[in-house]
Amino acid sequence: MSGAALGLEIVFVFFLALFLLHRYGDFKKQHRLVIVATLLAWYLCFLIVFILPLDVSTTIYNRCKLAVNSSPAESNGSYVTLAPSKQKCFKPWSYIPNGIMPIFWRVVYWTSQFLTWILLPFMQSYARSGGFSITGKIKTALIENAIYYGTYLLIFGAFLIYVAVNPNFNLQWNQLQTIGIAAANTWGLFLLVLLLGYGLVEIPRSHWNGAKRGYLLMKTYFKAAKLMTEKADAEENLEDIMEEVRKVSESIKYNHPLRKCVDTILKKCPTEYQERMGRNMDDYEDFDERQNSYPSEKSLVKLHKQVIYSVQRHRRTQVQWQILLEQAFYLEDVAKNETSATRQFVHTFHSQEPENKIIQYFYTPTVEWYWECLLRPWFYRVLAVVLATFSVIVVWSECTFFSTKPVLSLFAVFIQLAEKTYNYIYIEMACFLTIFFLSICVYSTVFRIRVFNYYYLASHHQTDAYSLLFSGMLFCRLTPPLCLNFLGLTHMDATISHKNTQPTAYTSIMGSMRVLSFIADGFYIYYPMLVVILCIATYFSLGTRCLNLLGFQQFMGDSEMTSDLIDEGKELIRREKRKRQRQEEGENRRREWKERYGNRDDSTRSRVVHTDQKESSFSETNTNRSLSKYTRSNGRTERDRIELLQDAEPLDFNADSINDDPLESDSGRYQPGGRYLSMSRSKIFDDV
C-alpha cells in the first residue's frame, strides 16, 4: 500500500503539471525542448509539495520505533526494550520504506537545481535568439550567459581561495555542499517572503471581491481599456516590423546568399503578410554584388528576433481581447438576469464552442441562474473568510515558529497533538493543507506578476517560450526554501525545534545549517517576520499606488484615471456588442431565408439554368443583328424573341447578377436568370 500511495501521487502530479502546461503553453507551435524542460521543472516542484507530507508521517513513525526500541529505564538510565503493551507504533497507510526517500529527494533536488541554475537560463537565451541555425543559436546563448555564469564562478572561486588560504577553516566536501545549498535557499527565501506576503492578502481579497458583480464588471471595463491600448500598440509594432521585412525581402533577391535567411523570416510572418509580400516580389531580377545596400547577417538575426516577438505579442493580444469580451458579455448577462422573474439564465449571445451534452443536461438555465445569481456570491464570501483565516494563522506562525517553549506556532501545535495519538491521516491532511496553501499563495503570485512584456504567463496557450522557462526557474528556486519554511513552521526541522531527534529525509539531504550559524540562527528565523510588513503594505495597496504614481495605470476605485479608463472600456465593450449583434442578426436572417426558401431556390436554380440557355441563343441573335443593323429582321426571329420574353418569369432582383457586358446591356431589356432591368426611352426602338 505504501508503494501504491507514492506511485499514485507521482502519476497524479505528472498529469497536473501537464494540464497546467497545456493551458499556458502551446504544444503545437513551441519547441519540444522548451515544453519538456518546463514540464520537468513544474513537475519536480509540484512533486516535492505533494510528497513531503508522506515524508513527515514516515519520520514520525520512525521516531516512534526508536522510542520503543531504545527508551531509558528509570533505575540506571540504561536503554532497555519496552514491552509492546506500554507503547505501540502503528504503521501509517502511506509508509515508505527506509532508504527510498533520501535517494528520491536527492535526485529531485539536484535535478531541479541543475535546471534552474544551468539549463533553463541557457534555454531562455536559445529560445529568444534570432539565429538561423542551431549552431548560431547556441553561440548566441553562450555569449549572453557568459556574464551570468562567470559571476557565479567568480564568487565561488574567491570563496574557495579564501577557505584554502585561511588556516582556521577546515571545510570538507559535505560542508562545501551545505554552503552551496544554504546560499541557494537564502536567495529563494528572500524572494519567497515577498511573494508570500502578497499572496496571503490578495488571494482572500480577490475571492471576496469576486462576490461583487459591480466590482468585477468595472474591473473588466478597466482591463478592456488597457488591453485595447496594448492591442493597438502590438498591431502598430507588427506593421512597422513587417514593413522592414518587406524592404529586406525586396532588396535581397532569389539568388542572394542571404535569401534563405529572408525566407526563414517570412515563414514566421502572418499569412496575410506573406501573401502580400509574395505578390510584390520580382524574382527575375538578379542581385548586384557591387551594391553595398544589402543588410548583413547580423541585422537579419536581429530582425528575425523582432519578428518572433512581435508576432507572438500580436497573437496574444488578439486572443486575450476575445476572451475579455466573452467575460464582459457574461458579467453583463449576470447583472441583467439578477432581476429576472422567470429565474432562468438568458444569454445575450450563444456560445461559439459546442457545449457538452452531459453538462448541458444537468446545468440547465434554471440551475445556472441559481448558481450565478444566488449561490456563487455567498460561496465566494465563505471561501474568502476561510482563506483569510488561513492567512492569519500563517502570519502568526511565521512570527512565532522559533519559540519552542512554549510552542506558539499553530501548525506545530496541530502536528504535535496528532503525533501523540499517531493519527497519520490527520497528520498528512494537516501537512498537505498547510503546504498546499503556502504553495498557492506563492505560485499564484508567480502566475499573476508581469514584468513589462518580458515575463508574462498568459492562459489559453498564449505564453511564449521565454516566460515558460522563466517560470520554471522561479519554481525550482522557490520550492526548496518553501518546504524548509514549512518544516520550520511545524517544528519538524531540528534546527528550529532544537531537539536531538531523527530529521526528515528532506532535511537530511540539506545538511546541517550549523556550518553557517549566522544564517541558521539569524536570517532563517527573523527574516520571515517581514511577511507582516508586506501583508500590511498589500492590504493598503501601497505597491499599486506607487505604480500608479509612476505612470503605470492600476485599478484603483478612488482614482480619476481609473474612472476614465472604465468609461472608455465600457464604450469599447458596447461597440463590440453592437458589432456582434449585427453579425448574429445577419446570420439569423440568412438561416431563416435558407430554411423558408430552400426548396424554392432549388427550382429557381434549375429555371435559371434553362433561361441561361435561352439567353445564349438570344445573345447570338443580337450579335448577328448588330452586324447587319440596317437589314430588317424576319418575322420568325421576332416571334421567337417575343416567346422567349413571355416564357421568362420575373424573379427577385439581385444586384450581383447585373452584367457589365455592353453587348448584353445594349441589346435587350432582359438579363440572364430571368431578371428585368429598367429601360430607357432611347433604347426601346433601337431594334425596329
Side-chain angles (χ1 to χ4, degrees):
M1 185 63 184
S2 59
L6 181 62
L8 288 176
E9 289 202 359
I10 291 175
V11 174
F12 172 76
V13 172
F14 174 78
F15 284 104
L16 176 63
L18 187 65
F19 170 76
L20 290 177
L21 184 58
H22 177 265
R23 177 177 175 81
Y24 287 90
D26 193 349
F27 292 171
K28 296 180 180 179
K29 297 181 179 180
Q30 289 172 344
H31 200 279
R32 293 183 179 178
L33 292 178
V34 174
I35 297 297
V36 171
T38 307
L39 177 62
L40 183 60
W42 288 16
Y43 173 61
L44 294 178
C45 296
F46 297 162
L47 193 62
I48 294 175
V49 173
F50 278 82
I51 300 298
L52 192 59
L54 303 183
D55 190 8
V56 172
S57 62
T58 302
T59 302
I60 292 176
Y61 173 72
N62 292 332
R63 290 178 181 178
C64 177
K65 289 197 304 181
L66 289 176
V68 169
N69 296 330
S70 57
S71 179
E74 296 181 357
S75 58
N76 53 4
S78 60
Y79 288 88
V80 297
T81 302
L82 295 179
S85 60
K86 292 184 180 180
Q87 185 176 1
K88 292 184 179 180
C89 297
F90 299 98
K91 182 180 294 186
W93 69 279
S94 58
Y95 175 74
I96 300 174
N98 295 329
I100 295 179
M101 290 306 298
I103 299 175
F104 176 81
W105 287 131
R106 191 172 288 109
V107 172
V108 170
Y109 177 78
W110 289 112
T111 304
S112 64
Q113 295 303 302
F114 173 77
L115 289 173
T116 187
W117 296 106
I118 298 178
L119 184 61
L120 293 182
F122 176 81
M123 293 190 65
Q124 272 187 303
S125 302
Y126 183 89
R128 289 181 68 92
S129 174
F132 299 101
S133 62
I134 298 178
T135 306
K137 290 184 177 182
I138 293 176
K139 182 180 178 181
T140 304
L142 289 175
I143 293 174
E144 290 183 358
N145 287 272
I147 301 176
Y148 180 80
Y149 295 125
T151 304
Y152 289 109
L153 291 176
L154 182 62
I155 296 174
F156 185 71
F159 178 76
L160 288 180
I161 294 173
Y162 175 76
V163 171
V165 172
N166 195 341
N168 296 327
F169 289 95
N170 187 16
L171 297 179
Q172 300 178 357
W173 169 249
N174 293 333
Q175 294 175 340
L176 290 176
Q177 180 180 341
T178 303
I179 291 174
I181 294 174
N185 291 336
T186 301
W187 189 97
L189 184 62
F190 177 79
L191 184 60
L192 174 69
V193 173
L194 298 178
L195 301 179
L196 185 62
Y198 176 83
L200 288 174
V201 176
E202 191 60 30
I203 290 180
R205 183 164 58 185
S206 63
H207 285 81
W208 181 265
N209 292 330
K212 304 175 183 179
R213 298 299 181 188
Y215 176 87
L216 289 180
L217 191 57
M218 294 299 105
K219 192 170 184 179
T220 304
Y221 290 151
F222 177 83
K223 290 181 179 179
K226 288 190 63 177
L227 186 58
M228 175 55 72
T229 304
E230 183 181 357
K231 180 170 170 286
D233 187 26
E235 292 175 354
E236 183 180 357
N237 185 25
L238 182 64
E239 289 287 345
D240 296 339
I241 298 298
M242 291 299 105
E243 181 64 22
E244 294 183 10
V245 173
R246 183 190 64 81
K247 294 179 181 179
V248 171
S249 178
E250 291 178 355
S251 62
I252 298 180
K253 304 303 178 182
Y254 71 99
N255 56 350
H256 194 280
L258 296 178
R259 185 62 200 182
K260 294 182 179 180
C261 301
V262 177
D263 293 337
T264 304
I265 296 176
L266 289 175
K267 291 180 182 179
K268 303 295 178 63
C269 299
T271 307
E272 58 271 17
Y273 290 98
Q274 294 182 18
E275 296 176 354
R276 190 185 309 171
M277 296 175 189
R279 290 194 298 265
N280 297 329
M281 286 185 60
D282 296 330
D283 285 346
Y284 59 85
E285 296 182 4
D286 296 336
F287 77 98
D288 188 3
E289 294 182 353
R290 292 171 295 180
Q291 295 182 1
N292 297 324
S293 60
Y294 294 108
S296 61
E297 185 177 0
K298 186 176 181 181
S299 61
L300 291 180
V301 169
K302 183 179 179 181
L303 181 61
H304 188 203
K305 184 177 180 180
Q306 292 176 350
V307 168
I308 295 174
Y309 170 74
S310 60
V311 171
Q312 172 67 26
R313 184 187 176 194
H314 178 263
R315 187 187 302 115
R316 185 186 69 218
T317 53
Q318 294 290 336
V319 174
Q320 287 179 337
W321 176 250
Q322 296 299 326
I323 296 172
L324 190 63
L325 287 180
E326 296 294 336
Q327 183 181 358
F329 295 156
Y330 189 76
L331 291 175
E332 290 180 348
D333 292 340
V334 172
K336 292 180 181 179
N337 284 274
E338 285 181 349
T339 57
S340 176
T342 59
R343 295 192 174 185
Q344 287 189 350
F345 199 91
V346 180
H347 294 269
T348 304
F349 303 108
H350 297 287
S351 178
Q352 298 179 356
E353 298 180 358
E355 297 182 357
N356 192 352
K357 293 183 178 180
I358 299 177
I359 298 177
Q360 191 175 3
Y361 178 78
F362 290 100
Y363 197 61
T364 60
T366 304
V367 175
E368 186 176 4
W369 186 89
Y370 276 99
W371 167 249
E372 293 292 341
C373 300
L374 291 181
L375 299 179
R376 187 172 182 175
W378 286 103
F379 173 78
Y380 270 67
R381 291 189 184 98
V382 173
L383 182 60
V385 172
V386 174
L387 294 175
T389 304
F390 267 95
S391 297
V392 172
I393 295 175
V394 169
V395 172
W396 171 262
S397 300
E398 290 285 356
C399 297
T400 59
F401 73 92
F402 59 88
S403 177
T404 56
K405 293 181 180 180
V407 178
L408 298 179
S409 176
L410 296 180
F411 295 115
V413 172
F414 297 153
I415 298 300
Q416 290 178 5
L417 289 176
E419 186 178 358
K420 293 179 180 179
T421 59
Y422 298 101
N423 190 349
Y424 296 107
I425 299 295
Y426 175 81
I427 292 173
E428 292 177 3
M429 289 301 299
C431 292
F432 176 75
L433 291 177
T434 303
I435 194 172
F436 183 74
F437 179 73
L438 294 174
S439 303
I440 290 295
C441 293
V442 175
Y443 293 161
S444 64
T445 308
V446 174
F447 281 98
R448 288 186 181 186
I449 60 176
R450 177 176 181 177
V451 183
F452 299 103
N453 288 318
Y454 295 99
Y455 172 75
Y456 181 37
L457 289 176
S459 58
H460 298 84
H461 322 291
Q462 299 305 312
T463 307
D464 58 353
Y466 184 88
S467 299
L468 287 176
L469 295 171
F470 190 76
S471 65
M473 290 173 54
L474 288 179
F475 286 160
C476 291
R477 296 182 187 183
L478 290 171
T479 304
L482 174 66
C483 295
L484 286 178
N485 183 256
F486 160 75
L487 294 176
L489 294 177
T490 56
H491 287 187
M492 294 299 296
D493 190 357
T495 306
I496 304 299
S497 62
H498 303 288
K499 294 181 180 179
N500 190 14
T501 56
Q502 181 181 1
T504 60
Y506 185 81
T507 309
S508 63
I509 68 166
M510 295 294 176
S512 177
M513 295 301 171
R514 295 300 174 186
V515 178
L516 301 175
S517 58
F518 66 94
I519 293 180
D521 297 333
F523 185 79
Y524 281 177
I525 293 178
Y526 297 106
Y527 179 73
M529 295 182 184
L530 292 178
V531 74
V532 179
I533 300 176
L534 294 172
C535 288
I536 295 174
T538 306
Y539 180 79
F540 291 102
S541 304
L542 296 181
T544 303
R545 297 180 187 276
C546 292
L547 291 175
N548 199 23
L549 291 175
L550 293 175
F552 301 97
Q553 291 85 5
Q554 302 294 319
F555 184 76
M556 297 177 59
D558 54 351
S559 175
E560 183 178 356
M561 180 64 69
T562 301
S563 302
D564 295 339
L565 290 176
I566 288 174
D567 295 337
E568 182 182 351
K570 187 183 297 184
E571 183 61 30
L572 290 172
I573 297 299
R574 187 182 296 113
R575 187 187 309 166
E576 293 292 335
K577 192 172 185 179
R578 288 197 301 265
K579 187 188 299 184
R580 183 79 63 86
Q581 288 175 347
R582 287 195 298 268
Q583 291 177 356
E584 288 200 353
E585 288 174 359
E587 292 177 358
N588 292 333
R589 284 196 299 268
R590 286 191 292 270
R591 190 183 303 110
E592 292 176 359
W593 179 268
K594 187 176 182 180
E595 293 176 356
R596 183 180 301 177
Y597 301 104
N599 298 328
R600 183 175 177 181
D601 290 342
D602 296 337
S603 61
T604 304
R605 192 178 299 109
S606 61
R607 188 162 58 249
V608 166
V609 173
H610 179 67
T611 308
D612 287 338
Q613 295 175 356
K614 292 183 178 181
E615 182 64 24
S616 62
S617 62
F618 176 67
S619 300
E620 293 176 359
T621 305
N622 286 337
T623 305
N624 295 329
R625 185 169 60 252
S626 63
L627 295 176
S628 56
K629 60 185 302 184
Y630 295 105
T631 60
R632 295 175 59 90
S633 60
N634 56 21
R636 185 184 178 107
T637 305
E638 188 72 19
R639 285 195 303 271
D640 292 342
R641 188 174 63 208
I642 294 173
E643 291 175 0
L644 176 62
L645 293 176
Q646 290 177 352
D647 291 339
E649 298 180 0
L651 301 178
D652 296 334
F653 173 77
N654 188 0
D656 298 335
S657 64
I658 298 177
N659 198 340
D660 295 332
D661 192 351
L663 182 62
E664 295 182 0
S665 61
D666 293 340
S667 60
R669 313 173 257 309
Y670 181 75
Q671 287 292 331
R675 292 169 174 81
Y676 288 102
L677 299 177
S678 60
M679 299 180 295
S680 61
R681 293 186 178 182
S682 61
K683 301 284 185 170
I684 294 177
F685 300 103
D686 285 350
D687 297 334
V688 179

